[in-house]
Amino acid sequence: MARPKAGEIDRSNSTDKVEKILQGAMQEFLAHGYAATSMDKVAEAASVSKATVYSHFQDKQGLFRALIEKLARKRFHSILGTQPLYGEPYVVLRRLAKTALDQMVNDQEYQAFERLLMGESARFPELAQVFIASIAKPAIETISKYLASCAELNIPDPEATARILIGSLVHFVITQEIMHGKNIMPMESDRIIDALTHLIVNCAD
């Protein structure tokens, strides 16, 4: 059995360290917020040296950006996949909405990160903008292209419709889970999914 080459081992070790740093950073950011988190605390949480953290990330903002981009890739691929959306609109849109809601509702870390971003957005707007550029914008573009390709839907503004779809799902998660409103205004997620799908698929009627 061939042994891994030195370069492959170095890359593997580097990847492992980056992952440890990102995990440590997530732990510290969620526990203490962006402003109160230091690179020293991240290094301690990741069980690596401060020099190791700086060798991979230039500063705290770069580290936070990398964390957002990692979360964005995970969320985008798990909901929208790696290929363009294709298929019968009712099936595709309902599956997309259900997958997105299930993941956002059941992922406590994602909800905690959303709270962190919203709380820090006034002081650090550039970090919130990274989140929008990395997650919301690509998702809207992907869904817009799909809606535009479905001529039978006769949607006059695919981008606005995509924003309505995503905005409704995000609003549901914010009001029900992040803002703890599900006991005040409870609603089953399937009702939102069915209503959104019906509105979009039947808008040409």
Side-chain angles (χ1 to χ4, degrees):
M1 184 175 179
R3 294 182 179 179
K5 297 179 181 178
E8 294 173 345
I9 294 175
D10 290 342
R11 283 193 296 272
S12 177
N13 288 339
S14 179
T15 301
D16 289 343
K17 285 181 179 178
V18 167
E19 185 59 32
K20 287 177 66 177
I21 293 168
L22 290 174
Q23 289 176 358
M26 177 67 86
Q27 174 185 317
E28 290 301 309
F29 284 131
L30 293 184
H32 306 292
Y34 179 79
T37 294
S38 67
M39 297 293 260
D40 284 326
K41 288 181 179 178
V42 170
E44 184 178 349
S47 299
V48 300
S49 69
K50 186 176 178 180
T52 298
V53 176
Y54 275 108
S55 72
H56 292 285
F57 303 98
Q58 184 176 1
D59 52 28
K60 186 170 69 171
Q61 184 170 336
L63 176 56
F64 197 77
R65 179 187 292 268
L67 201 57
I68 293 173
E69 291 172 347
K70 177 191 174 185
L71 183 65
R73 286 192 299 271
K74 173 185 174 183
R75 186 66 52 207
F76 186 88
H77 290 157
S78 61
I79 295 174
L80 292 166
T82 57
Q83 301 296 324
L85 295 175
Y86 176 80
E88 199 275 318
Y90 182 85
V91 174
V92 171
L93 294 173
R94 196 179 194 289
R95 182 177 64 238
L96 186 153
K98 183 171 178 54
T99 301
L101 269 192
D102 285 348
Q103 293 198 17
M104 288 189 287
V105 166
N106 295 316
D107 190 337
Q108 298 301 311
E109 185 178 78
Y110 175 80
Q111 291 178 30
F113 198 74
E114 284 270 13
R115 290 189 187 97
L116 170 64
L117 272 174
M118 287 189 287
E120 301 283 18
S121 63
R123 287 187 296 172
F124 307 102
E126 67 280 1
L127 298 177
Q129 288 173 341
V130 173
F131 183 82
I132 296 300
S134 301
I135 295 183
K137 188 172 184 288
I140 288 170
E141 289 174 346
T142 298
I143 297 171
S144 295
K145 288 179 182 177
Y146 170 72
L147 294 175
S149 73
C150 298
E152 70 274 23
L153 294 181
N154 193 31
I155 294 176
D157 194 333
E159 181 183 355
T161 304
R163 286 183 178 231
I164 291 169
L165 172 62
I166 293 175
S168 298
L169 297 175
V170 171
H171 176 268
F172 180 83
V173 175
I174 289 175
T175 56
Q176 298 289 291
E177 305 294 335
I178 295 177
M179 300 296 291
H180 310 289
K182 57 187 173 184
N183 293 327
I184 300 171
M185 43 187 291
M187 177 173 285
E188 294 297 323
S189 60
D190 278 350
R191 289 180 62 191
I192 292 291
I193 294 167
D194 288 340
L196 282 169
T197 306
H198 175 79
L199 286 171
I200 295 173
V201 171
N202 294 284
C203 69
D205 293 348

